[in-house]
Amino acid sequence: MDDCSRITSYFFTQSDNLFGLLNSFESHTGVILDDIETAIPFGDEDISISRSHFISEVEESETCALIISGEGGTGKTALIKELYEKKGENDAFYVHKATEFSVCSLNEFLSGVFLKDFIEAHEGAENKTVVIDSAEHLLSLENTDPIKEYLSNLITTGWKVYFTTRNTYLDDLIFQLCEVYKISFKSIHIEKLDEDTLFGLAQKHDFIIPGDKKFKALILTPFYLKEYLKYY
């Protein structure tokens, strides 16, 4: 959000803490994404893994909600970080951990700010996105009313909502979104690297792919490739 929108929303609202909440959401998003690496450090260079296909798929989707799934370490949150880094000056983009919704009420989650004021504060935003990271933790919420109210109102007012989850929980999360949250969505699956891509990276950056089949299969996951090259 630009500063003018912030100032206007601060003075024309019933919520005393709106400005603080927006700053808190922005800084919290930064904290979540700061430690996420979108490239693999290797010596004096970075090994980039192209996510352009997934970025295009997300950006071109006409659905309000997306599930981004994949095995652990395949780069789900790295994809979110790349999308965040592309946001415009007048875009709103917040990342929440699903566990943050273990609250008694939405008012508690919003630190006393009225949901109406939060939504109206972003009316001038060009693109509005909320990410629920590690969304499998929604499955264990005892009280789903706060997040149901939050997501329902965001989607109704033109926000995009992205959920990230591991494959293991995908079917359960799909059921939850359909039956509990009544949300229509599209799924995007983040695959491991294929062997051709791994071979191309090895040639370009001059590292040797291990001969052991199990080891080679392991480093098709970007997280484990990073760990392998860390001690190369």
Side-chain angles (χ1 to χ4, degrees):
M1 282 182 66
D2 60 57
D3 290 338
C4 289
S5 298
R6 286 175 173 280
I7 293 168
T8 302
S9 66
Y10 180 70
F11 285 106
F12 296 94
T13 178
Q14 297 178 19
S15 301
D16 294 334
N17 192 38
L18 178 59
F19 204 25
L21 178 70
L22 300 182
N23 280 331
S24 173
F25 275 10
E26 287 187 1
S27 62
H28 185 56
T29 296
V31 168
I32 291 173
L33 297 179
D34 273 352
D35 290 335
I36 302 298
E37 294 177 329
T38 56
I40 297 171
F42 181 54
D44 296 327
E45 56 186 354
D46 287 333
I47 298 177
S48 296
I49 295 172
S50 175
R51 299 181 181 89
S52 57
H53 167 71
F54 299 117
I55 289 172
S56 296
E57 196 171 351
V58 170
E59 292 179 335
E60 293 169 9
S61 173
E62 295 181 359
T63 59
C64 292
L66 292 173
I67 297 178
I68 300 169
S69 64
E71 293 186 17
T74 50
K76 300 180 294 296
T77 312
L79 172 62
I80 295 299
K81 184 170 183 175
E82 290 195 26
L83 290 165
Y84 175 79
E85 289 174 342
K86 290 188 66 181
K87 77 181 182 72
E89 184 178 332
N90 200 34
D91 292 345
F93 196 115
Y94 303 125
V95 180
H96 307 304
K97 290 289 188 182
T99 50
E100 295 168 33
F101 290 92
S102 183
V103 291
C104 295
S105 67
L106 182 57
N107 191 254
E108 181 183 344
F109 173 75
L110 293 175
S111 302
V113 172
F114 294 116
L115 178 59
K116 175 177 175 289
D117 288 338
F118 175 78
I119 288 173
E120 288 180 353
H122 296 89
E123 283 182 350
E126 198 166 323
N127 299 289
K128 299 172 288 187
T129 304
V130 156
V131 178
I132 310 297
D133 195 29
S134 300
E136 59 268 15
H137 293 291
L138 297 180
L139 302 172
S140 60
L141 290 181
E142 292 183 8
N143 179 12
T144 59
D145 289 343
I147 191 170
K148 280 172 67 176
E149 182 183 357
Y150 187 57
L151 297 180
S152 174
N153 280 274
L154 291 185
I155 290 172
T156 301
T157 53
W159 288 71
K160 298 275 191 178
V161 180
Y162 304 153
F163 303 88
T164 69
T165 190
R166 295 189 178 199
N167 289 343
T168 308
Y169 304 97
L170 180 58
D171 289 344
D172 289 337
L173 180 62
I174 287 173
F175 178 83
Q176 188 95 341
L177 293 184
C178 290
E179 299 299 321
V180 177
Y181 298 101
K182 310 298 182 185
I183 293 175
S184 299
F185 57 86
K186 175 183 175 181
S187 292
I188 293 177
H189 183 63
I190 308 294
E191 299 280 359
K192 296 179 180 181
L193 304 176
D194 57 42
E195 291 195 7
D196 288 342
T197 300
L198 180 63
F199 181 73
L201 292 174
Q203 279 194 316
K204 181 178 179 180
H205 297 281
D206 195 25
F207 65 85
I208 297 171
I209 298 172
D212 183 85
K213 288 185 179 180
K214 289 184 178 180
F215 200 165
K216 183 166 67 174
L218 183 66
I219 64 172
L220 292 174
T221 300
F223 173 81
Y224 293 110
L225 176 60
K226 180 187 75 173
E227 292 302 301
Y228 169 64
L229 294 177
K230 184 189 296 184
Y231 303 103
Y232 186 81

